[in-house]
Amino acid sequence: MTRWFIRSRFLLVYILFMPAGLFIAYNGPWLVRFLEGLIPMDKCPLLPGQTLRLGETVDDSLDLWSRSDVQTCTYWGAPVMWDGMFNPKVYDRVHKERGSSVALTVFAVGRYLDAYLTEFLHSAEQHFMLGLPVTYYVFTDVPESMPKVPLGLDRALEVIRVPKHQRWQDISMMRMKAIAETIDQRIRHRHQYVFCLDVDQVFMGRFGSEALGDSVALLHAFYYHRPKVLYTYDTNPRSAAYMETADYYYHAAVFGGSWQSVRNLTEGCYKGIMKDKQSHVEALWHDESHLNKYLWLHKPSKVLSPEYCWAKGIGYRSDIHIARLIWADKQYTVLRD
């Protein structure tokens, strides 16, 4: 009788909790991201009604108090750009009056060119810095395979051949050197601003002149609600990217600024990468780890919200009013073998 009772009890527990266990196993990541989204962000440290007072710049027109649900400025006085904070027409008018122009660098190496570049360029023509002169600098090891994409007025494209690397990690890290060299050789003579983007992304909404600034970083979509203790900085003391703590976790898929600032950043990251190679170590997240270290030591003058590079897999977030750029569907098993 006792054995029967024990077996019945275990059977009952199994029947009751197995569905719950399966539900958690299947939906666990989604539930975690949903709960993360409930963690409030820090707030702009200014007093209500105050402005950044950045010195007669167009960013002085930002309405920091139009968004009470997110952080709209950093403690060092950089704006964090969210939908509803700015008037697009004001930014476009000011930058047209200034004659601003933009270089966009993108790496499409190996199979990434066929998989992503055409859609990336087509969507950029619809949403990236419309109304301003833009030149796309496409870095590839197969320039003969470049797609033909119609470009609008004051839009141009240049192809730069880069060597092929066996590992995608080396491609990711060596782009820093290639960007710095291209800024020296070409971009500095033509454009005031540079944006560096990953190719496996698609523009879905306005990515305009409000994003321009001296040094521009992007909040990583997966980290902006997480406690800092969960940020995945490189914690290896032997790496030049070593960090114990910092302000934010930035995404290397999007960064930019004036050509001078972007050159300094890419050169600084490249030096860190080469120092690691001499020490026979590799940073946890490769060039992104070095980028986070650099931006901790050299604070960006403008921070873009995750609207400017969103991941659909995160699910619904009430603070994301518009996904301006999204991650394309990943095909890593095919592209990185």
Side-chain angles (χ1 to χ4, degrees):
M1 184 69 177
T2 303
R3 286 184 178 180
W4 180 87
F5 177 76
I6 293 173
R7 288 178 181 175
S8 299
R9 186 176 62 180
F10 276 117
L11 181 61
L12 180 62
V13 170
Y14 180 79
I15 293 172
L16 290 175
F17 287 96
M18 187 180 73
L22 290 174
F23 177 83
I24 293 172
Y26 184 78
N27 295 286
W30 182 87
L31 288 173
V32 170
R33 290 192 288 269
F34 173 78
L35 293 174
E36 282 179 348
L38 301 179
I39 300 174
M41 296 183 71
D42 292 338
K43 298 302 179 183
C44 180
L46 297 178
L47 295 175
Q50 283 187 308
T51 61
L52 289 171
R53 300 182 182 275
L54 298 173
E56 302 299 324
T57 72
V58 64
D59 289 329
D60 287 335
S61 67
L62 289 169
D63 184 356
L64 302 177
W65 311 107
S66 63
R67 293 293 299 269
S68 60
D69 56 333
V70 293
Q71 184 175 5
T72 56
C73 74
T74 69
Y75 69 84
W76 64 86
V80 184
M81 304 298 290
W82 294 88
D83 181 59
M85 287 176 51
F86 59 89
N87 185 333
K89 293 181 180 179
V90 171
Y91 273 88
D92 289 346
R93 175 178 55 79
V94 169
H95 280 283
K96 285 178 182 177
E97 291 174 353
R98 292 177 181 174
S100 298
S101 63
V102 185
L104 190 162
T105 72
V106 61
F107 281 69
V109 179
R111 299 177 206 175
Y112 277 73
L113 186 147
D114 292 331
Y116 297 117
L117 184 60
T118 298
E119 188 174 19
F120 177 89
L121 292 173
H122 272 300
S123 64
E125 280 296 284
Q126 297 172 17
H127 300 292
F128 182 75
M129 301 293 166
L130 299 186
L132 296 181
V134 171
T135 299
Y136 304 103
Y137 292 87
V138 179
F139 297 78
T140 182
D141 58 334
V142 284
E144 62 278 4
S145 299
M146 278 291 300
K148 294 183 179 180
V149 177
L151 303 179
L153 183 66
D154 287 332
R155 319 280 280 199
L157 186 150
E158 295 191 16
V159 180
I160 301 172
R161 181 185 288 273
V162 292
K164 185 175 182 179
H165 295 278
Q166 293 300 317
R167 302 189 316 139
W168 67 265
Q169 294 93 334
D170 291 326
I171 296 171
S172 178
M173 290 188 289
M174 290 302 104
R175 69 171 175 153
M176 293 297 184
K177 178 184 179 183
I179 292 171
E181 290 176 346
T182 303
I183 289 174
D184 281 341
Q185 297 166 6
R186 307 189 192 194
I187 293 174
R188 63 180 294 183
H189 305 293
R190 307 173 184 176
H191 304 282
Q192 300 97 317
Y193 297 101
V194 186
F195 260 96
C196 308
L197 274 69
D198 285 354
V199 70
D200 51 348
Q201 305 180 98
V202 180
F203 291 92
M204 301 296 290
R206 174 189 167 93
F207 195 120
S209 58
E210 74 283 350
L212 298 176
D214 181 58
S215 174
V216 183
L218 169 80
L219 294 182
H220 199 297
F222 278 91
Y223 290 88
Y224 74 109
H225 272 293
R226 290 184 184 179
K228 291 182 180 180
V229 68
L230 298 179
Y231 291 175
T232 54
Y233 300 128
D234 190 291
T235 57
N236 180 2
R238 295 180 59 206
S239 173
Y242 168 71
M243 299 169 63
E244 290 184 347
T245 186
D247 309 304
Y248 302 98
Y249 191 85
Y250 301 113
H251 196 174
V254 177
F255 61 92
S258 66
W259 70 258
Q260 298 95 330
S261 292
V262 176
R263 190 199 180 283
N264 291 339
L265 182 151
T266 51
E267 184 180 50
C269 290
Y270 177 67
K271 287 180 178 178
I273 290 166
M274 296 310 296
K275 184 177 180 180
D276 278 3
K277 285 186 176 293
Q278 293 172 359
S279 301
H280 304 290
V281 297
E282 192 168 278
L284 177 64
W285 294 115
H286 315 107
D287 60 333
E288 185 167 273
S289 295
H290 289 280
L291 177 136
N292 270 276
K293 177 66 173 287
Y294 184 91
L295 292 172
W296 178 48
L297 298 174
H298 308 84
K299 309 296 188 195
S301 64
K302 178 171 287 187
V303 178
L304 302 181
S305 73
E307 296 170 359
Y308 290 84
C309 183
W310 185 245
K312 293 183 293 184
I314 294 175
Y316 173 74
R317 289 276 173 87
S318 62
D319 50 25
I320 302 297
H321 295 178
I322 177 173
R324 305 176 185 277
L325 179 70
I326 63 170
W327 295 8
D329 293 334
K330 307 304 180 185
Q331 306 173 41
Y332 291 151
T333 55
V334 176
L335 297 170
R336 291 182 175 179
D337 62 3

